[in-house]
Structure formats: C-alpha cells, structure tokens
C-alpha cells in the first residue's frame, strides 16, 4: 500500500480562492516533500519539510507537518489557473535505505478562471 | 542545466519486443530513480541507484525488467519481452543527496500493443 494518502482526491476551486490538500502517512519519516505534476509532464519539486519542522513557506505555498498525527497539509493561497495540476506528497521513510521516496496517489486540483 | 533527460518521449512497440528506455541524470547528482506511473497504481518506484550502484530493486515487477547504470551520466531500463500490461509512463529522477528533492525527467510514454 502507498505510504502517503492524499485527501481529497480531487478539488475544484475558483481563481483567487485558497486550495488545501492533506497527506497522511504510516511510518516515521526523515522528511516529507510535495510535488506538482502538470498533465503529460514530469513531477516538479515544490517544497521539502523535515521531521523537526512544523511549518514552511515558499511563495504562495504553505506546508505544515504534524509528526504525532503523521499528517501534512499543503495550502496554495490566491490560486491561479496555472496552479491546475496534480499534487503529490512523498515521504522519505526512516527505515528506507538511501534517498528513497514513496509517493501518494495525488490530489487533482482544478482552478477555474 | 538541461535537467534530467529521458529518451524516447514516446514508444509504441509490439508485444514480445525489447524496449530500452534511457536517462541522463543531472550532473553531480549521485542518486537515480526509475518510477512507473499508471492510473491504477499511481507512481511506483522500480529501482534506484546511489553512486551508480543499485540499492533497491524490489519494485521491479518481474525478471523481464532490468536496469543498469554503467556510469554517473547514463542509465537504462530494459523490458524484454514487453507485454501490454507494461504500458505506462516511465519516469527517471535524480537527486543530489539524501534529504534533498528529486528532479524528474519528462518521462517516456510506453504503449505495448
């Protein structure tokens, strides 16, 4: 089974609104990462949050991490049509050797102009 | 930097044929990963290398799949013989070192008919 499970699976919002998606995982991690994938393209790294961090910002992105609940959230503020994509969380598990990431199933975000 | 380069972008082949996918990681990145993406199974890690050495190939679905990394700037994923269920998008990604994000290539869309 997948380590990370995103919620919701799909999200539709109007341009200018905020988009929030969540990720739950099962095992202890070194860090958690969020990626974006536009249709037909490769994944793009957005942000990495380490296990000893609780919140991180990058531009319009805000990521939180709660290791006690094994969950993370990604907030996109003031969304734009160009934010339409699938968003994946990925976990770097402590028990895994090396730099191996396990990806969740993703959240499809549609931002309507 | 041209990023992670994969070739070909698209491959259509007949069942039973050999397929070779190629990847050139970012110079200086010492970890390389091969993922497969399908609608049904999402993103699956097939195999990854650290410093050209295979670390974990537990995700390789069958003996029909093999991967090599003869040097730091080149890797191949080979499927022989190919089957229709191998149809998917295959991504290569590289990473600088443990605890850093991945850079993905644009993927190879494989269709086996």
């Amino acid at each position: 089974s997948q380590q990370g499970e995103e919620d919701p699976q799909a999200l539709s919002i109007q341009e200018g609104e905020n988009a929030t998606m969540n990720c739950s995982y099962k095992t202890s991690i070194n860090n958690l990462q969020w990626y974006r994938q536009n249709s037909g393209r490769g994944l793009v790294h957005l942000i990495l949050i380490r296990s000893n961090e609780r919140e991180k910002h990058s531009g319009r992105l805000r990521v939180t991490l709660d290791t006690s609940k094994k969950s993370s959230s990604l907030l996109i503020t003031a969304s734009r049509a160009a934010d339409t994509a699938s968003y994946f969380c990925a976990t770097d598990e402590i028990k895994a050797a090396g730099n191996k990431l396990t990806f969740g199933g993703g959240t499809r975000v549609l931002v309507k102009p | 930097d041209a990023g992670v380069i994969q070739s070909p972008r698209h491959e259509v082949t007949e069942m039973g044929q050999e397929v070779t996918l190629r990847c050139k990681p970012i110079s200086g990145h010492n970890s390389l990963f091969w993922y497969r993406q399908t609608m049904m199974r999402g993103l699956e890690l097939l195999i990854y290398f650290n410093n050209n050495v295979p670390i974990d190939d537990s995700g390789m679905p069958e003996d029909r799949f093999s991967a090599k990394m003869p040097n730091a700037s080149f890797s191949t994923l080979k499927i022989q013989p190919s089957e229709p269920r191998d149809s998917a998008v295959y991504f290569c990604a590289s990473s600088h070192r443990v605890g850093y994000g991945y850079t993905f290539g644009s993927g190879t869309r494989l269709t086996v008919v």
Side-chain angles (χ1 to χ4, degrees), chain A:
Chain A
S1 62
Q2 293 175 331
Q3 162 74 323
E5 298 288 343
E6 283 94 339
D7 169 56
Q9 290 189 333
L11 182 60
S12 180
I13 57 174
Q14 293 292 137
E15 205 165 26
E17 293 181 341
N18 295 342
T20 300
M21 59 210 86
N22 303 295
C23 170
S24 60
Y25 58 92
K26 297 173 183 170
T27 64
S28 297
I29 60 173
N30 293 308
N31 64 72
L32 184 145
Q33 304 178 28
W34 286 90
Y35 288 79
R36 183 186 74 232
Q37 184 180 33
N38 291 90
S39 180
R41 309 292 290 272
L43 282 78
V44 174
H45 181 256
L46 295 176
I47 196 165
L48 180 153
I49 186 165
R50 303 189 190 282
S51 60
N52 61 352
E53 297 175 310
R54 291 297 167 257
E55 187 171 312
K56 205 160 183 180
H57 297 255
S58 176
R60 295 183 295 112
L61 303 180
R62 173 179 169 252
V63 169
T64 63
L65 178 65
D66 186 334
T67 53
S68 66
K69 295 180 179 179
K70 291 186 170 56
S71 68
S72 174
S73 68
L74 172 66
L75 168 68
I76 305 172
T77 60
S79 63
R80 305 167 181 169
D83 295 328
T84 294
S86 291
Y87 292 82
F88 295 86
C89 70
T91 50
D92 179 356
E93 300 172 41
I94 287 176
K95 67 176 184 178
N99 192 16
K100 167 182 167 179
L101 290 181
T102 303
F103 285 82
T107 293
R108 295 188 310 279
V109 175
L110 172 63
V111 181
K112 294 178 282 188

Side-chain angles (χ1 to χ4, degrees), chain B:
Chain B
D1 195 331
V4 175
I5 300 173
Q6 290 187 247
S7 64
R9 286 297 310 275
H10 302 274
E11 177 81 33
V12 180
T13 190
E14 291 185 346
M15 182 173 62
Q17 296 297 307
E18 177 180 296
V19 175
T20 299
L21 311 181
R22 298 172 175 80
C23 175
K24 177 179 168 54
I26 289 177
S27 177
H29 282 193
N30 57 14
S31 296
L32 183 140
F33 309 84
W34 283 100
Y35 281 84
R36 178 171 68 177
Q37 187 177 37
T38 61
M39 289 294 292
M40 290 297 295
R41 300 175 68 90
L43 272 160
E44 302 172 279
L45 177 65
L46 300 178
I47 185 171
Y48 75 98
F49 297 83
N50 277 350
N51 296 316
N52 313 339
V53 176
I55 301 301
D56 184 351
D57 65 354
S58 60
M60 297 285 261
E62 300 170 31
D63 290 345
R64 298 184 296 106
F65 286 69
S66 63
K68 294 182 180 179
M69 192 165 186
N71 56 62
S73 60
F74 184 66
S75 178
T76 59
L77 177 67
K78 185 177 293 187
I79 308 172
Q80 165 64 15
S82 58
E83 297 182 3
R85 58 193 167 122
D86 301 332
S87 297
V89 181
Y90 291 80
F91 287 104
C92 174
S94 69
S95 177
H96 180 50
R97 55 189 171 98
V98 175
Y100 281 69
Y102 291 5
T103 302
F104 278 79
S106 297
T108 294
R109 182 174 295 277
L110 173 65
T111 303
V112 183
V113 298

